[in-house]
């Protein structure tokens, strides 16, 4: 196994210079030809720095841990997470996705702590506790950041208020005169984090209007959508909020196949403002979700790591607004 001493001999420099170059140390001025020579020597020998040794010298790792469980994220959140990972990488962090299936609460926190991350960004599917946050911090995590509806003591809480999406959809449908509104609740595991608050948001919008809100269980399959569409005459709904654009498009196609006119018999609304919704006929009304950039969150992580003693911050990462099109 090649060592930094081997790289130093081949490049004709000291081991300290090899460390400075390969760890991207900015505090020491090293000429570009020397940097190039060190990198070429490391590549020729197949040498890479030892992460554990680097962490020992620095007193902490550069790992930002992103726990993942079973939430099937859509295009909007997928883009946000990709942007976050790119931004963290540009800030010289190593992003590690941790499969957290079957873990919850303090058990999850202990499992994550084994990797000694410098920061944890929990997307909310694992319910952290103050004790779990303390376990992570004692293991070296300088920042624990949660994305979800409820803040956790000791963590930086980033709100992504999904009820706002439902309230926005409900207000749009109510303003257009609809009074018996179905709300799709996906059957897929993991989406409860989003679907429950969105249903609550529609109910909140309808609370003082006399309108009725009817939850509709739907799996993301053509068969499930067709079965729901077959029951449509008995449901007596004049509008439906499809949870997001994907479920709304699936249901709208099934309704049209069953002879239900959209929006003549039933208005249909989605959320996320996907391009495909604009290509349908009728064009899909939706809730546009305005999210902060992944760069913004990466910079917050970096600030929290640099100053772990600062008071945990609270941020709201998203806004929502209705986009009216032909389907409503």
């Amino acid at each position: 196994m090649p060592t930094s001493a081997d790289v130093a001999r081949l490049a004709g420099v000291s081991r300290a210079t090899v460390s400075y170059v390969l760890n991207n140390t900015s505090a020491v001025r090293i000429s570009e030809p020397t940097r190039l020579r060190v990198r070429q020597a490391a590549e020729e020998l197949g040498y890479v720095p030892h992460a554990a040794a680097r962490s020992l010298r620095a007193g902490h790792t550069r790992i930002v841990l992103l726990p993942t469980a079973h939430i099937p994220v859509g295009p909007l959140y997928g883009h946000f997470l990709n942007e976050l990972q790119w931004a963290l990488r540009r800030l010289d962090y190593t992003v590690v996705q941790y499969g957290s299936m079957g873990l919850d609460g303090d058990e999850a926190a202990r499992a994550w702590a084994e990797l000694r991350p410098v920061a944890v960004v929990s997307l909310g599917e694992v319910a952290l506790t103050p004790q779990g946050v303390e376990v992570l911090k004692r293991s070296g995590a300088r920042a624990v950041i949660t994305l979800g509806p409820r803040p956790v003591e000791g963590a930086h809480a980033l709100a992504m208020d999904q009820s706002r999406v439902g309230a926005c959809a409900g207000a749009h449908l109510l303003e257009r005169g609809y009074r018996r509104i179905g709300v799709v609740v996906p059957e897929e595991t993991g989406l409860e984090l989003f679907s429950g608050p969105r249903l609550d948001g529609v109910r909140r919008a309808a609370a003082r209007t006399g309108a009725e809100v009817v939850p509709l269980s739907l799996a993301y399959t053509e068969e499930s959508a067709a079965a729901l569409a077959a029951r449509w005459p008995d449901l007596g709904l004049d509008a439906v909020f499809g949870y997001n654009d994907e479920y709304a498009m699936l249901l709208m196609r099934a309704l049209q196949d069953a002879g239900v006119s959209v929006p003549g018999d039933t208005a249909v609304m989605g959320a996320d403002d996907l391009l495909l919704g604009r290509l349908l006929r009728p064009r899909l009304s939706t809730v546009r979700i305005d999210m902060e950039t992944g760069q913004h969150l990466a910079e917050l992580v970096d600030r929290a790591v640099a100053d772990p003693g600062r008071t945990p911050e609270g941020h709201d990462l998203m806004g929502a607004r209705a986009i009216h099109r032909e389907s409503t």
Side-chain angles (χ1 to χ4, degrees):
M1 183 181 297
T3 67
S4 61
D6 298 326
V7 177
R9 278 193 296 271
L10 183 58
V13 299
S14 68
R15 290 183 65 181
T17 299
V18 171
S19 176
Y20 294 145
V21 171
L22 297 184
N23 288 312
N24 295 314
T25 302
S26 58
V28 179
R29 290 181 58 84
I30 298 174
S31 69
E32 194 55 38
T34 299
R35 288 182 182 276
L36 181 61
R37 197 161 68 248
V38 169
R39 292 191 185 105
Q40 288 175 336
E43 184 175 350
E44 181 178 334
L45 293 171
Y47 172 79
V48 292
H50 197 295
R54 179 187 182 191
S55 301
L56 190 62
R57 287 192 300 272
H60 58 81
T61 71
R62 295 293 290 177
I63 293 174
V64 175
L65 191 142
L66 294 181
T68 59
H70 47 265
I71 293 182
V73 296
L76 180 69
Y77 292 94
H79 175 76
F80 172 77
L81 293 175
N82 288 340
E83 191 177 61
L84 170 62
Q85 292 182 67
W86 276 108
L88 287 169
R89 188 68 195 92
R90 287 192 293 269
L91 290 168
D92 195 33
Y93 291 99
T94 298
V95 180
V96 174
Q97 292 191 353
Y98 191 109
S100 300
M101 289 285 286
L103 298 175
D104 202 2
D106 294 346
E107 181 187 12
R110 287 192 294 271
W112 303 340
E114 291 179 4
L115 293 183
R116 299 298 190 266
V118 72
V120 174
V121 181
S122 176
L123 302 180
E125 68 271 28
V126 173
L128 276 176
T129 66
Q131 292 76 22
V133 172
E134 185 63 22
V135 166
L136 288 164
K137 289 187 173 181
R138 286 182 178 177
S139 72
R142 293 180 167 219
V144 179
I145 297 170
T146 61
L147 281 71
R150 291 176 298 277
V152 181
E153 182 182 345
H156 296 261
L158 303 181
M160 299 180 75
D161 187 359
Q162 297 297 324
S163 69
R164 189 178 302 170
V165 177
C168 189
H172 173 79
L173 294 171
L174 292 163
E175 286 168 4
R176 301 197 63 77
Y178 301 109
R179 287 298 178 268
R180 186 167 166 79
I181 301 170
V183 177
V184 167
V185 179
E187 294 179 4
E188 278 63 37
T189 301
L191 290 180
E192 303 90 349
L193 184 69
F194 300 87
S195 62
R198 291 187 182 189
L199 173 60
D200 291 341
V202 178
R203 284 173 167 159
R204 190 171 70 234
R208 295 185 179 87
T209 67
E212 187 173 359
V213 176
V214 180
L216 304 170
S217 179
L218 176 65
Y220 195 60
T221 66
E222 289 183 291
E223 293 77 14
S224 180
L228 179 55
R231 296 169 43 217
W232 214 253
D234 299 328
L235 294 172
L237 302 173
D238 57 7
V240 59
F241 169 48
Y243 167 71
N244 69 7
D245 284 353
E246 293 169 295
Y247 283 84
M249 290 186 284
L250 174 69
L251 180 56
M252 187 164 79
R253 180 73 267 171
L255 290 173
Q256 290 171 327
D257 287 345
V260 177
S261 171
V262 177
D265 298 324
T266 303
V268 178
M269 188 165 194
D272 291 351
D273 193 21
L274 301 184
L275 174 61
L276 187 56
R278 291 171 246 168
L279 303 180
L280 296 182
R281 295 299 181 271
R283 293 176 180 86
L284 184 66
S285 294
T286 190
V287 176
R288 179 175 295 167
I289 298 172
D290 301 311
M291 294 185 63
E292 287 280 6
T293 64
Q295 177 71 37
H296 173 84
L297 178 51
E299 290 169 355
L300 189 152
V301 170
D302 194 45
R303 289 198 303 271
V305 167
D307 184 10
R310 70 190 299 167
T311 302
E313 303 176 41
H315 295 266
D316 194 336
L317 285 183
M318 59 176 278
R321 53 198 172 101
I323 304 297
H324 175 227
R325 298 195 181 104
E326 298 156 5
S327 69
T328 58

